[in-house]
Amino acid sequence: MYDKFALLAIVVGIFTIPVLVPDAFAHGLGGDQAEPLTFGDMEVTVRTQLNPSDITVGDLDSANMQVRFFDTLTDTNLDKVTYRVEVWQSGELLARNLFYDGDGRLDVKIKPKLGCDEDPIETCTVYGGSEHVSAPGALFVQGASCSDENLDICARPSMTGPIFVKGGLYNIRVDIEAATSPRTVLASPLSYETFVSVAQEQNFLIQTANAEEIPVIIKTYYDDVDNFKFDKSDNSISFDMPFDWSPDYVDQVQVVHEEVRVPKTFAPYAEGKQFKGYVNGVEIDQRALLNDPYSYDDTNIVHFLITNSELLKINETLGPDNYDSLQMDLKLVPLDEASKSSTEFYLVDTTNYEQVPTTVNISWDGKYGANQDIPFEFTFFDENRDLIKDLRYAYVVLDEFDQEISRYDGDDLGNPGIVSVEGIDIQKIYIPSEGQIRFDILVYGTGFDYDPKYAGIGSAIIEIGPGSPDPSPSTPSLKDEKVAIPDWIKNNAEWWAAGQIDDESFVQGIQYLIKENVLKIPPTVQGSDSGSDRIPDWIKNNAEWWAAGQIDDESFVQGIQYLIEKGIMKV
C-alpha cells in the first residue's frame, strides 16, 4: 500500500503543472474568447463573460456583461480602451454603442426589457452613462472600478432593452477603437466576434402508453425548439430548432447545448439509465451526452453538448446536402440501465497537501473491462455536493507496476485541461489487462482564468475485471482485436498532418498496412467511388492528435473507416 502523502507527492511529479496564461481562443460557460490579433509586440484579444454565467430568461432582472481586452502573452490588460460593442441575435442588431474604460475591463449592466415594437429593434435600447471627456461619444461612469466581488456597487454604464429577453446564441461584436490612450485612435480598429448563450425553458407533456402525462422541460441555450415528439415504441424524445449548417457558420460555433429534463419517476428516464443521441439522423459520440441525476432530487437532466468537432463530423458524414439545411433535429433514446461501479475521493492542494473543497467521483459500467475502451465518467462536486461547472482537469492512468496506460490534458495546447462544462465528463480509456489501475487527477481550476478555488490533485485505485465479450455491439472496438498499432505508423500520421507527405502517399501507406494485416480495423462496408479524393480536414486533425497521443487508437481508426465507407480509400 502507498503511504498517503508519498502517493500525493508521486501524483504531483506525474503532472507538469504550467503557469496558466491562456493564449488561444476558447469557449466557456457564459463566455467566449476570440482569436488573438497582433498589436505591436503583443497578441491581443477580447474575452466576453456574463455574470451570472448561466442565465435563464425570466429568472433575473439584470446581468453583467464583462468585456476584457488583454495581451495573451502576458495575461495583462491594456488600459485606456475605447470599445464599440454590438449585440446581435439571429442576425438582428439589438444594441450598438461606444464605451470607455480605463483598466481594460469594461463592465456593462444589462437590463432586459420586453415589449419593443420599434423597427429596427435596436432603437428600443437605452444607454446609461456619461460621455468621457477624452473619448468623444464613448460612455463612462465615474466611480469605483469593477471586480467580480463588487458588481453591485461599482461604477458601470448600462444597456436597457430587448437584450436577453429570449434564449439563444448571442453574438457580441467588439471593435477596439483606441487603446493605451483615449486620444490614440487606431488607424484600423481591431475587430473581434464572441458568442454567449442565454437559456430558455420550454414546457412539454408526453403521454405514455398508459395515458399518463409526464412533464418534460427542454432548456435550450441556442434557439427556440419546435416539433417536440415522444415515440412510445422506443420511449425516445425528439425535437428540432433552427440551425445554419453552412461550413463558414459551423466553424464559428464552439458548442450547441440543449438540456432534456424528465422526472425520475418515469421509468425509461430513471436514474442510472444510459442514452443514445442523434443529430440529423447521425449518432453522436457518447461523450456528447451527459446524464445528470445530481442537480435535482426528482429530475434527471440529459445534456446534449455538441462540440464544434462533432458538428464538423456530422457535416462531413451528411455531405454538402446538409449545408443548406436550416434545422437541427435532435433525438434522445433511452437504453438499458447500467450496472455501475464507482470510487470517490477528495483533492488536496499541490503545496501542503491540504484538502480543498473538491470531491471526484469516477464511475464505469461493469460490463466493460480489460482489453476494451471503457467509458469512464468523471464527476466533480463542491463542498455542498453541487456540481462544479466549467472545470478544467487532466488525468493519468497507470497499471499496478506504475507503467503509464493513458494520459490526457485536453486538445488545446494554449489552454490546458479537459473542459467539463457541467461538472460531468466522459472519457473512453483503453485498459489492456485485468487488475488494479490508478487514476491520478489534476484539477487546474474553473473558468477562463483557472480560478484556483477547486484546484488540486488526488488519486484512486480501482479494480478492472474481464468485462463482457461484446459490451457495445453497435460500436466495435479496435482493441477487441488485441492488435496494437506499431509506433512507426504514428510517424507517417505526424508527417502527413504536417504536410510533409501528401494525401495520396498517406492513403497508399494505410492501404498497404491493411492489406499486409499490420493494421487491423473492425469490419467496415466498402463504399462506392465517392467521386472525390478529398480527405476531410477532421481526419487529418485526428491523425495529428493521435500522433501526439491526444486521442486513442480507436478514434484514429474511425477516421480510416470513414474513408473506406465513403469510397475515398479502397481496400
Side-chain angles (χ1 to χ4, degrees), residues 78 100 104 125 131 196-198 224 238 280 304 330 358 381 412 432 447 467 486 497 499 531 566:
L78 280 72
Y100 173 81
T125 302
E131 185 174 334
V196 295
S197 295
V198 171
D224 291 347
S238 62
N280 287 25
F304 281 87
L330 298 102
T358 306
F381 298 101
D412 187 343
K566 295 299 178 183

Side-chain angles (χ1 to χ4, degrees), residues 334-346:
L335 305 174
D336 294 334
E337 185 173 348
S339 175
K340 284 193 173 182
S341 301
S342 67
T343 186
E344 193 163 292
F345 54 97
Y346 63 82

Side-chain angles (χ1 to χ4, degrees), residues 146-281:
C146 289
S147 68
D148 293 341
E149 288 73 36
N150 72 345
L151 288 175
D152 290 340
I153 60 173
C154 69
R156 52 182 174 152
S158 64
M159 295 182 187
T160 303
I163 307 168
F164 305 158
V165 296
K166 61 175 293 188
L169 191 67
Y170 285 78
N171 179 198
I172 300 174
R173 300 179 184 174
V174 180
D175 287 343
I176 304 299
E177 304 265 344
T180 70
S181 168
R183 298 183 183 276
T184 303
V185 178
L186 300 182
S188 177
L190 300 173
S191 298
Y192 300 93
E193 294 206 21
T194 60
F195 296 85
V196 295
S197 295
V198 171
Q200 176 175 305
E201 294 182 356
Q202 295 179 241
N203 297 296
F204 301 94
L205 287 174
I206 61 178
Q207 192 169 58
T208 69
N210 300 324
E212 182 183 6
E213 288 190 335
I214 306 294
V216 176
I217 296 174
I218 304 295
K219 187 172 183 179
T220 175
Y221 292 80
Y222 191 83
D223 209 330
D224 291 347
V225 304
D226 200 3
N227 296 317
F228 178 91
K229 295 178 182 176
F230 174 71
D231 189 336
K232 297 176 185 177
S233 66
D234 61 0
N235 295 308
S236 64
I237 289 173
S238 62
F239 53 94
D240 60 52
M241 64 184 182
F243 188 77
D244 181 356
W245 285 97
S246 63
D248 288 344
Y249 182 76
V250 168
D251 283 344
Q252 299 181 66
V253 180
Q254 294 299 307
V255 66
V256 174
H257 185 184
E258 303 294 309
E259 292 180 10
V260 180
R261 300 186 175 192
V262 184
K264 292 179 180 178
T265 53
F266 182 45
Y269 287 77
E271 187 170 346
K273 289 290 186 179
Q274 293 183 308
F275 299 89
K276 278 191 177 183
Y278 299 84
V279 173
N280 287 25

Side-chain angles (χ1 to χ4, degrees), residues 3-13 346 348-349 353 457-459:
D3 174 81
K4 176 180 176 183
F5 293 103
L7 176 58
L8 291 172
I10 291 170
V11 175
V12 172
Y346 63 82
V348 300
D349 66 62
Y353 305 142
I457 57 170
S459 187

Side-chain angles (χ1 to χ4, degrees), residues 19-64:
V19 177
L20 297 175
V21 182
D23 63 357
F25 62 101
H27 186 86
L29 184 65
D32 198 13
Q33 183 171 307
E35 192 166 6
L37 300 173
T38 300
F39 181 54
D41 59 354
M42 297 178 286
E43 293 293 318
V44 293
T45 192
V46 156
R47 178 190 299 168
T48 58
Q49 185 76 43
L50 301 182
N51 188 337
S53 57
D54 189 357
I55 296 174
T56 301
V57 170
D59 280 1
L60 73 170
D61 297 326
S62 67
N64 187 72

